[in-house]
């Protein structure tokens, strides 16, 4: 089973019920195994052991199903929780690391790579919605969660910046580097890179040196 599909049951957006999440997990697997043509309503109903009527009721037509698949995949990068409204410097740094690791895990997953390769291959076809869905339901979705995380850090006086978009662009670049491009082109991960812990830690360390307040940097150095 694909790496991303393995994780789908453990972390999904509250927009989807557990049963819908299970169906979307099957949809992700079908996409990886057979590409966009491998994802049909009939095939998904068989794989997920549910009716086609339920799939239409939950997700609508084929474009709606693809939109739900992309949203479900992006939702594995979790939002800031209600219990994380006030974190000390060390806890906030750990939350940044978690975001970075989840982002890398999603981007490097078989599903994300399959979706992006499909979208790139269909970029010259105006009737194909996949590229637009990946931007609107994937990239923008994750960006909103990342910006919210950074804005929370600013409110808690762990970070200082004027432009949240610019700060997030820097954070994203430090996290992802050329990893996604390499994987899209078929380059393999180095041994020990699979959980992305070291890359996430390094990205947050670099980001903190750029954007952390003096108080937070001092607290982190004494932690």
């Amino acid at each position: 089973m694909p790496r991303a599909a393995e994780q789908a049951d453990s972390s999904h957006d509250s927009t989807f019920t557990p049963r819908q999440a299970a169906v979307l997990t099957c949809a992700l697997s079908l996409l990886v195994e057979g590409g966009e043509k491998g994802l049909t309503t009939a095939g998904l109903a068989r794989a997920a052991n549910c009716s086609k009527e339920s799939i239409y009721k939950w997700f609508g037509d084929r474009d709606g199903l693809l939109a739900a698949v992309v949203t479900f995949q992006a939702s594995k990068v979790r939002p800031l929780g209600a219990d994380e409204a006030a974190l000390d410097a060390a806890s906030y740094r750990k939350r940044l690391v978690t975001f970075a690791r989840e982002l890398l895990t999603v981007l490097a997953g078989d599903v994300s790579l399959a979706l992006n390769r499909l979208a790139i291959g269909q970029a010259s076809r105006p009737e194909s919605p996949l590229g637009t869905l990946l931007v609107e339901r994937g990239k923008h979705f994750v960006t909103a969660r990342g910006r919210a995380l950074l804005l929370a850090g600013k409110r808690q006086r762990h970070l200082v910046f004027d432009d949240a978009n610019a700060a997030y662009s820097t954070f994203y670049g430090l996290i992802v580097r050329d990893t996604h491009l390499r994987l899209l082109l078929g380059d393999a991960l180095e041994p020990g890179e699979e959980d992305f812990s070291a890359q996430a830690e390094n990205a947050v360390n670099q980001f903190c040196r750029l954007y952390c307040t003096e108080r937070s940097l001092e607290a982190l150095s004494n932690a």
Side-chain angles (χ1 to χ4, degrees), residues 100-121:
R101 188 174 60 250
E102 289 177 349
L103 175 59
L104 286 165
T105 301
V106 167
L107 290 177
D110 293 331
V111 170
S112 177
L113 295 175
L115 287 170
N116 278 274
R117 286 168 179 152
L118 282 170
I120 291 168

mmCIF file with all atom_site columns, all heavy atoms in Angstrom, residues 100-121:
data_model
loop_
_atom_site.group_PDB
_atom_site.id
_atom_site.type_symbol
_atom_site.label_atom_id
_atom_site.label_alt_id
_atom_site.label_comp_id
_atom_site.label_asym_id
_atom_site.label_entity_id
_atom_site.label_seq_id
_atom_site.pdbx_PDB_ins_code
_atom_site.Cartn_x
_atom_site.Cartn_y
_atom_site.Cartn_z
_atom_site.occupancy
_atom_site.B_iso_or_equiv
_atom_site.pdbx_formal_charge
_atom_site.auth_seq_id
_atom_site.auth_comp_id
_atom_site.auth_asym_id
_atom_site.auth_atom_id
_atom_site.pdbx_PDB_model_num
ATOM 1   N N   . ALA A 1 100 ? 6.522  21.029 9.653   1.00 0.00 ? 100 ALA A N   1
ATOM 2   C CA  . ALA A 1 100 ? 7.525  20.800 8.610   1.00 0.00 ? 100 ALA A CA  1
ATOM 3   C C   . ALA A 1 100 ? 7.611  19.323 8.246   1.00 0.00 ? 100 ALA A C   1
ATOM 4   O O   . ALA A 1 100 ? 7.665  18.964 7.059   1.00 0.00 ? 100 ALA A O   1
ATOM 5   C CB  . ALA A 1 100 ? 8.891  21.309 9.088   1.00 0.00 ? 100 ALA A CB  1
ATOM 6   N N   . ARG A 1 101 ? 7.611  18.460 9.248   1.00 0.00 ? 101 ARG A N   1
ATOM 7   C CA  . ARG A 1 101 ? 7.704  17.020 8.979   1.00 0.00 ? 101 ARG A CA  1
ATOM 8   C C   . ARG A 1 101 ? 6.464  16.511 8.257   1.00 0.00 ? 101 ARG A C   1
ATOM 9   O O   . ARG A 1 101 ? 6.563  15.715 7.317   1.00 0.00 ? 101 ARG A O   1
ATOM 10  C CB  . ARG A 1 101 ? 7.915  16.260 10.284  1.00 0.00 ? 101 ARG A CB  1
ATOM 11  C CG  . ARG A 1 101 ? 8.213  14.773 10.078  1.00 0.00 ? 101 ARG A CG  1
ATOM 12  C CD  . ARG A 1 101 ? 8.572  14.078 11.384  1.00 0.00 ? 101 ARG A CD  1
ATOM 13  N NE  . ARG A 1 101 ? 7.479  14.166 12.348  1.00 0.00 ? 101 ARG A NE  1
ATOM 14  C CZ  . ARG A 1 101 ? 7.517  14.911 13.456  1.00 0.00 ? 101 ARG A CZ  1
ATOM 15  N NH1 . ARG A 1 101 ? 8.598  15.639 13.741  1.00 0.00 ? 101 ARG A NH1 1
ATOM 16  N NH2 . ARG A 1 101 ? 6.496  14.942 14.281  1.00 0.00 ? 101 ARG A NH2 1
ATOM 17  N N   . GLU A 1 102 ? 5.277  16.970 8.670   1.00 0.00 ? 102 GLU A N   1
ATOM 18  C CA  . GLU A 1 102 ? 4.046  16.542 8.001   1.00 0.00 ? 102 GLU A CA  1
ATOM 19  C C   . GLU A 1 102 ? 3.994  17.033 6.562   1.00 0.00 ? 102 GLU A C   1
ATOM 20  O O   . GLU A 1 102 ? 3.562  16.300 5.657   1.00 0.00 ? 102 GLU A O   1
ATOM 21  C CB  . GLU A 1 102 ? 2.830  17.037 8.779   1.00 0.00 ? 102 GLU A CB  1
ATOM 22  C CG  . GLU A 1 102 ? 2.624  16.320 10.103  1.00 0.00 ? 102 GLU A CG  1
ATOM 23  C CD  . GLU A 1 102 ? 1.453  16.853 10.900  1.00 0.00 ? 102 GLU A CD  1
ATOM 24  O OE1 . GLU A 1 102 ? 0.914  17.927 10.532  1.00 0.00 ? 102 GLU A OE1 1
ATOM 25  O OE2 . GLU A 1 102 ? 1.075  16.205 11.891  1.00 0.00 ? 102 GLU A OE2 1
ATOM 26  N N   . LEU A 1 103 ? 4.438  18.261 6.331   1.00 0.00 ? 103 LEU A N   1
ATOM 27  C CA  . LEU A 1 103 ? 4.452  18.793 4.969   1.00 0.00 ? 103 LEU A CA  1
ATOM 28  C C   . LEU A 1 103 ? 5.362  17.956 4.074   1.00 0.00 ? 103 LEU A C   1
ATOM 29  O O   . LEU A 1 103 ? 4.978  17.571 2.954   1.00 0.00 ? 103 LEU A O   1
ATOM 30  C CB  . LEU A 1 103 ? 4.919  20.250 4.985   1.00 0.00 ? 103 LEU A CB  1
ATOM 31  C CG  . LEU A 1 103 ? 5.104  20.922 3.627   1.00 0.00 ? 103 LEU A CG  1
ATOM 32  C CD1 . LEU A 1 103 ? 3.800  20.919 2.828   1.00 0.00 ? 103 LEU A CD1 1
ATOM 33  C CD2 . LEU A 1 103 ? 5.617  22.351 3.798   1.00 0.00 ? 103 LEU A CD2 1
ATOM 34  N N   . LEU A 1 104 ? 6.548  17.652 4.544   1.00 0.00 ? 104 LEU A N   1
ATOM 35  C CA  . LEU A 1 104 ? 7.476  16.845 3.756   1.00 0.00 ? 104 LEU A CA  1
ATOM 36  C C   . LEU A 1 104 ? 6.925  15.447 3.516   1.00 0.00 ? 104 LEU A C   1
ATOM 37  O O   . LEU A 1 104 ? 7.054  14.896 2.418   1.00 0.00 ? 104 LEU A O   1
ATOM 38  C CB  . LEU A 1 104 ? 8.833  16.764 4.473   1.00 0.00 ? 104 LEU A CB  1
ATOM 39  C CG  . LEU A 1 104 ? 9.677  18.033 4.416   1.00 0.00 ? 104 LEU A CG  1
ATOM 40  C CD1 . LEU A 1 104 ? 10.798 17.970 5.448   1.00 0.00 ? 104 LEU A CD1 1
ATOM 41  C CD2 . LEU A 1 104 ? 10.260 18.228 3.013   1.00 0.00 ? 104 LEU A CD2 1
ATOM 42  N N   . THR A 1 105 ? 6.304  14.859 4.532   1.00 0.00 ? 105 THR A N   1
ATOM 43  C CA  . THR A 1 105 ? 5.754  13.514 4.395   1.00 0.00 ? 105 THR A CA  1
ATOM 44  C C   . THR A 1 105 ? 4.651  13.472 3.351   1.00 0.00 ? 105 THR A C   1
ATOM 45  O O   . THR A 1 105 ? 4.577  12.539 2.535   1.00 0.00 ? 105 THR A O   1
ATOM 46  C CB  . THR A 1 105 ? 5.218  13.024 5.751   1.00 0.00 ? 105 THR A CB  1
ATOM 47  O OG1 . THR A 1 105 ? 6.288  13.015 6.711   1.00 0.00 ? 105 THR A OG1 1
ATOM 48  C CG2 . THR A 1 105 ? 4.646  11.616 5.643   1.00 0.00 ? 105 THR A CG2 1
ATOM 49  N N   . VAL A 1 106 ? 3.787  14.486 3.352   1.00 0.00 ? 106 VAL A N   1
ATOM 50  C CA  . VAL A 1 106 ? 2.716  14.545 2.357   1.00 0.00 ? 106 VAL A CA  1
ATOM 51  C C   . VAL A 1 106 ? 3.289  14.747 0.955   1.00 0.00 ? 106 VAL A C   1
ATOM 52  O O   . VAL A 1 106 ? 2.924  14.040 0.015   1.00 0.00 ? 106 VAL A O   1
ATOM 53  C CB  . VAL A 1 106 ? 1.715  15.663 2.705   1.00 0.00 ? 106 VAL A CB  1
ATOM 54  C CG1 . VAL A 1 106 ? 0.784  15.937 1.530   1.00 0.00 ? 106 VAL A CG1 1
ATOM 55  C CG2 . VAL A 1 106 ? 0.901  15.281 3.935   1.00 0.00 ? 106 VAL A CG2 1
ATOM 56  N N   . LEU A 1 107 ? 4.195  15.695 0.797   1.00 0.00 ? 107 LEU A N   1
ATOM 57  C CA  . LEU A 1 107 ? 4.752  15.978 -0.527  1.00 0.00 ? 107 LEU A CA  1
ATOM 58  C C   . LEU A 1 107 ? 5.521  14.785 -1.088  1.00 0.00 ? 107 LEU A C   1
ATOM 59  O O   . LEU A 1 107 ? 5.541  14.574 -2.304  1.00 0.00 ? 107 LEU A O   1
ATOM 60  C CB  . LEU A 1 107 ? 5.675  17.199 -0.457  1.00 0.00 ? 107 LEU A CB  1
ATOM 61  C CG  . LEU A 1 107 ? 5.002  18.554 -0.228  1.00 0.00 ? 107 LEU A CG  1
ATOM 62  C CD1 . LEU A 1 107 ? 6.053  19.649 -0.113  1.00 0.00 ? 107 LEU A CD1 1
ATOM 63  C CD2 . LEU A 1 107 ? 4.016  18.880 -1.346  1.00 0.00 ? 107 LEU A CD2 1
ATOM 64  N N   . ALA A 1 108 ? 6.153  14.015 -0.213  1.00 0.00 ? 108 ALA A N   1
ATOM 65  C CA  . ALA A 1 108 ? 6.968  12.884 -0.664  1.00 0.00 ? 108 ALA A CA  1
ATOM 66  C C   . ALA A 1 108 ? 6.172  11.606 -0.812  1.00 0.00 ? 108 ALA A C   1
ATOM 67  O O   . ALA A 1 108 ? 6.696  10.599 -1.305  1.00 0.00 ? 108 ALA A O   1
ATOM 68  C CB  . ALA A 1 108 ? 8.117  12.646 0.320   1.00 0.00 ? 108 ALA A CB  1
ATOM 69  N N   . GLY A 1 109 ? 4.902  11.618 -0.388  1.00 0.00 ? 109 GLY A N   1
ATOM 70  C CA  . GLY A 1 109 ? 4.084  10.418 -0.471  1.00 0.00 ? 109 GLY A CA  1
ATOM 71  C C   . GLY A 1 109 ? 3.768  10.031 -1.903  1.00 0.00 ? 109 GLY A C   1
ATOM 72  O O   . GLY A 1 109 ? 3.727  10.872 -2.810  1.00 0.00 ? 109 GLY A O   1
ATOM 73  N N   . ASP A 1 110 ? 3.526  8.755  -2.106  1.00 0.00 ? 110 ASP A N   1
ATOM 74  C CA  . ASP A 1 110 ? 3.225  8.256  -3.450  1.00 0.00 ? 110 ASP A CA  1
ATOM 75  C C   . ASP A 1 110 ? 2.021  8.963  -4.062  1.00 0.00 ? 110 ASP A C   1
ATOM 76  O O   . ASP A 1 110 ? 1.975  9.216  -5.267  1.00 0.00 ? 110 ASP A O   1
ATOM 77  C CB  . ASP A 1 110 ? 2.954  6.752  -3.390  1.00 0.00 ? 110 ASP A CB  1
ATOM 78  C CG  . ASP A 1 110 ? 4.192  5.947  -3.013  1.00 0.00 ? 110 ASP A CG  1
ATOM 79  O OD1 . ASP A 1 110 ? 5.297  6.409  -3.326  1.00 0.00 ? 110 ASP A OD1 1
ATOM 80  O OD2 . ASP A 1 110 ? 4.042  4.871  -2.415  1.00 0.00 ? 110 ASP A OD2 1
ATOM 81  N N   . VAL A 1 111 ? 1.017  9.267  -3.235  1.00 0.00 ? 111 VAL A N   1
ATOM 82  C CA  . VAL A 1 111 ? -0.196 9.904  -3.742  1.00 0.00 ? 111 VAL A CA  1
ATOM 83  C C   . VAL A 1 111 ? 0.099  11.303 -4.258  1.00 0.00 ? 111 VAL A C   1
ATOM 84  O O   . VAL A 1 111 ? -0.311 11.683 -5.349  1.00 0.00 ? 111 VAL A O   1
ATOM 85  C CB  . VAL A 1 111 ? -1.281 9.942  -2.656  1.00 0.00 ? 111 VAL A CB  1
ATOM 86  C CG1 . VAL A 1 111 ? -2.453 10.805 -3.093  1.00 0.00 ? 111 VAL A CG1 1
ATOM 87  C CG2 . VAL A 1 111 ? -1.751 8.538  -2.331  1.00 0.00 ? 111 VAL A CG2 1
ATOM 88  N N   . SER A 1 112 ? 0.795  12.099 -3.440  1.00 0.00 ? 112 SER A N   1
ATOM 89  C CA  . SER A 1 112 ? 1.110  13.466 -3.853  1.00 0.00 ? 112 SER A CA  1
ATOM 90  C C   . SER A 1 112 ? 1.931  13.470 -5.130  1.00 0.00 ? 112 SER A C   1
ATOM 91  O O   . SER A 1 112 ? 1.671  14.256 -6.053  1.00 0.00 ? 112 SER A O   1
ATOM 92  C CB  . SER A 1 112 ? 1.875  14.179 -2.733  1.00 0.00 ? 112 SER A CB  1
ATOM 93  O OG  . SER A 1 112 ? 2.260  15.476 -3.143  1.00 0.00 ? 112 SER A OG  1
ATOM 94  N N   . LEU A 1 113 ? 2.910  12.589 -5.207  1.00 0.00 ? 113 LEU A N   1
ATOM 95  C CA  . LEU A 1 113 ? 3.738  12.537 -6.412  1.00 0.00 ? 113 LEU A CA  1
ATOM 96  C C   . LEU A 1 113 ? 2.908  12.119 -7.619  1.00 0.00 ? 113 LEU A C   1
ATOM 97  O O   . LEU A 1 113 ? 3.057  12.686 -8.704  1.00 0.00 ? 113 LEU A O   1
ATOM 98  C CB  . LEU A 1 113 ? 4.904  11.571 -6.193  1.00 0.00 ? 113 LEU A CB  1
ATOM 99  C CG  . LEU A 1 113 ? 5.915  11.992 -5.121  1.00 0.00 ? 113 LEU A CG  1
ATOM 100 C CD1 . LEU A 1 113 ? 6.961  10.902 -4.912  1.00 0.00 ? 113 LEU A CD1 1
ATOM 101 C CD2 . LEU A 1 113 ? 6.599  13.304 -5.506  1.00 0.00 ? 113 LEU A CD2 1
ATOM 102 N N   . ALA A 1 114 ? 2.016  11.139 -7.429  1.00 0.00 ? 114 ALA A N   1
ATOM 103 C CA  . ALA A 1 114 ? 1.172  10.697 -8.540  1.00 0.00 ? 114 ALA A CA  1
ATOM 104 C C   . ALA A 1 114 ? 0.245  11.813 -9.004  1.00 0.00 ? 114 ALA A C   1
ATOM 105 O O   . ALA A 1 114 ? 0.082  12.046 -10.212 1.00 0.00 ? 114 ALA A O   1
ATOM 106 C CB  . ALA A 1 114 ? 0.356  9.479  -8.116  1.00 0.00 ? 114 ALA A CB  1
ATOM 107 N N   . LEU A 1 115 ? -0.373 12.532 -8.060  1.00 0.00 ? 115 LEU A N   1
ATOM 108 C CA  . LEU A 1 115 ? -1.273 13.624 -8.418  1.00 0.00 ? 115 LEU A CA  1
ATOM 109 C C   . LEU A 1 115 ? -0.537 14.727 -9.167  1.00 0.00 ? 115 LEU A C   1
ATOM 110 O O   . LEU A 1 115 ? -1.030 15.262 -10.172 1.00 0.00 ? 115 LEU A O   1
ATOM 111 C CB  . LEU A 1 115 ? -1.925 14.200 -7.162  1.00 0.00 ? 115 LEU A CB  1
ATOM 112 C CG  . LEU A 1 115 ? -3.008 13.345 -6.494  1.00 0.00 ? 115 LEU A CG  1
ATOM 113 C CD1 . LEU A 1 115 ? -3.382 13.937 -5.140  1.00 0.00 ? 115 LEU A CD1 1
ATOM 114 C CD2 . LEU A 1 115 ? -4.226 13.232 -7.381  1.00 0.00 ? 115 LEU A CD2 1
ATOM 115 N N   . ASN A 1 116 ? 0.644  15.095 -8.684  1.00 0.00 ? 116 ASN A N   1
ATOM 116 C CA  . ASN A 1 116 ? 1.408  16.158 -9.328  1.00 0.00 ? 116 ASN A CA  1
ATOM 117 C C   . ASN A 1 116 ? 1.890  15.754 -10.710 1.00 0.00 ? 116 ASN A C   1
ATOM 118 O O   . ASN A 1 116 ? 1.870  16.557 -11.646 1.00 0.00 ? 116 ASN A O   1
ATOM 119 C CB  . ASN A 1 116 ? 2.591  16.562 -8.446  1.00 0.00 ? 116 ASN A CB  1
ATOM 120 C CG  . ASN A 1 116 ? 2.203  17.531 -7.356  1.00 0.00 ? 116 ASN A CG  1
ATOM 121 O OD1 . ASN A 1 116 ? 2.170  18.738 -7.549  1.00 0.00 ? 116 ASN A OD1 1
ATOM 122 N ND2 . ASN A 1 116 ? 1.876  16.997 -6.184  1.00 0.00 ? 116 ASN A ND2 1
ATOM 123 N N   . ARG A 1 117 ? 2.312  14.506 -10.857 1.00 0.00 ? 117 ARG A N   1
ATOM 124 C CA  . ARG A 1 117 ? 2.748  14.054 -12.182 1.00 0.00 ? 117 ARG A CA  1
ATOM 125 C C   . ARG A 1 117 ? 1.589  14.038 -13.161 1.00 0.00 ? 117 ARG A C   1
ATOM 126 O O   . ARG A 1 117 ? 1.745  14.415 -14.333 1.00 0.00 ? 117 ARG A O   1
ATOM 127 C CB  . ARG A 1 117 ? 3.387  12.662 -12.060 1.00 0.00 ? 117 ARG A CB  1
ATOM 128 C CG  . ARG A 1 117 ? 4.780  12.685 -11.423 1.00 0.00 ? 117 ARG A CG  1
ATOM 129 C CD  . ARG A 1 117 ? 5.248  11.303 -11.057 1.00 0.00 ? 117 ARG A CD  1
ATOM 130 N NE  . ARG A 1 117 ? 6.589  11.313 -10.459 1.00 0.00 ? 117 ARG A NE  1
ATOM 131 C CZ  . ARG A 1 117 ? 7.028  10.410 -9.589  1.00 0.00 ? 117 ARG A CZ  1
ATOM 132 N NH1 . ARG A 1 117 ? 6.239  9.410  -9.232  1.00 0.00 ? 117 ARG A NH1 1
ATOM 133 N NH2 . ARG A 1 117 ? 8.250  10.499 -9.092  1.00 0.00 ? 117 ARG A NH2 1
ATOM 134 N N   . LEU A 1 118 ? 0.418  13.615 -12.685 1.00 0.00 ? 118 LEU A N   1
ATOM 135 C CA  . LEU A 1 118 ? -0.760 13.638 -13.543 1.00 0.00 ? 118 LEU A CA  1
ATOM 136 C C   . LEU A 1 118 ? -1.091 15.064 -13.969 1.00 0.00 ? 118 LEU A C   1
ATOM 137 O O   . LEU A 1 118 ? -1.388 15.334 -15.144 1.00 0.00 ? 118 LEU A O   1
ATOM 138 C CB  . LEU A 1 118 ? -1.957 13.034 -12.809 1.00 0.00 ? 118 LEU A CB  1
ATOM 139 C CG  . LEU A 1 118 ? -2.026 11.513 -12.726 1.00 0.00 ? 118 LEU A CG  1
ATOM 140 C CD1 . LEU A 1 118 ? -3.138 11.093 -11.767 1.00 0.00 ? 118 LEU A CD1 1
ATOM 141 C CD2 . LEU A 1 118 ? -2.273 10.912 -14.106 1.00 0.00 ? 118 LEU A CD2 1
ATOM 142 N N   . ALA A 1 119 ? -1.061 15.981 -13.009 1.00 0.00 ? 119 ALA A N   1
ATOM 143 C CA  . ALA A 1 119 ? -1.394 17.375 -13.308 1.00 0.00 ? 119 ALA A CA  1
ATOM 144 C C   . ALA A 1 119 ? -0.402 17.985 -14.290 1.00 0.00 ? 119 ALA A C   1
ATOM 145 O O   . ALA A 1 119 ? -0.788 18.735 -15.204 1.00 0.00 ? 119 ALA A O   1
ATOM 146 C CB  . ALA A 1 119 ? -1.427 18.194 -12.020 1.00 0.00 ? 119 ALA A CB  1
ATOM 147 N N   . ILE A 1 120 ? 0.869  17.684 -14.125 1.00 0.00 ? 120 ILE A N   1
ATOM 148 C CA  . ILE A 1 120 ? 1.887  18.197 -15.044 1.00 0.00 ? 120 ILE A CA  1
ATOM 149 C C   . ILE A 1 120 ? 1.654  17.645 -16.453 1.00 0.00 ? 120 ILE A C   1
ATOM 150 O O   . ILE A 1 120 ? 1.738  18.369 -17.450 1.00 0.00 ? 120 ILE A O   1
ATOM 151 C CB  . ILE A 1 120 ? 3.294  17.833 -14.543 1.00 0.00 ? 120 ILE A CB  1
ATOM 152 C CG1 . ILE A 1 120 ? 3.612  18.612 -13.261 1.00 0.00 ? 120 ILE A CG1 1
ATOM 153 C CG2 . ILE A 1 120 ? 4.351  18.136 -15.612 1.00 0.00 ? 120 ILE A CG2 1
ATOM 154 C CD1 . ILE A 1 120 ? 4.843  18.120 -12.533 1.00 0.00 ? 120 ILE A CD1 1
ATOM 155 N N   . GLY A 1 121 ? 1.331  16.349 -16.530 1.00 0.00 ? 121 GLY A N   1
ATOM 156 C CA  . GLY A 1 121 ? 1.085  15.737 -17.833 1.00 0.00 ? 121 GLY A CA  1
ATOM 157 C C   . GLY A 1 121 ? -0.143 16.287 -18.530 1.00 0.00 ? 121 GLY A C   1
ATOM 158 O O   . GLY A 1 121 ? -0.249 16.233 -19.761 1.00 0.00 ? 121 GLY A O   1
#
